[in-house]
Amino acid sequence: MTQAYDTDDKRWAAGRSRDRNADGQFLTCVKTTGVYCLPSCPGRPKRENVVYHPNAGAARAAGFRACKRCRPDE
């Protein structure tokens, strides 16, 4: 993860602004739906339901699956 996205606040801001520069830097994982998304995904989870993982392998190991909307594995 680069320093531009080194805190949850910075990652949250990147997701809220749909920052495509953040894609590939981390994944947003939504606890209530069990999916992981790119930061640029148009989905809008509540902050308290979000955790971050550095890559798809880590997100899958934590029990999340790929979002069908933004398709982070493609």
Side-chain angles (χ1 to χ4, degrees), residues 8-37:
D8 283 353
D9 286 339
K10 290 177 183 178
R11 290 186 284 267
W12 178 255
R16 295 306 295 167
S17 66
R18 297 183 186 171
D19 183 0
R20 290 197 180 274
N21 294 320
D23 290 355
Q25 302 299 312
F26 63 91
L27 291 168
T28 301
C29 302
V30 185
K31 295 183 278 187
T32 53
T33 60
V35 300
Y36 61 88
C37 303

Side-chain angles (χ1 to χ4, degrees), residues 41-61:
C41 184
R44 291 287 171 236
K46 292 181 180 179
R47 189 169 187 172
E48 62 266 19
N49 297 329
V50 170
V51 294
Y52 300 99
H53 287 283
N55 54 50
R60 284 191 297 271

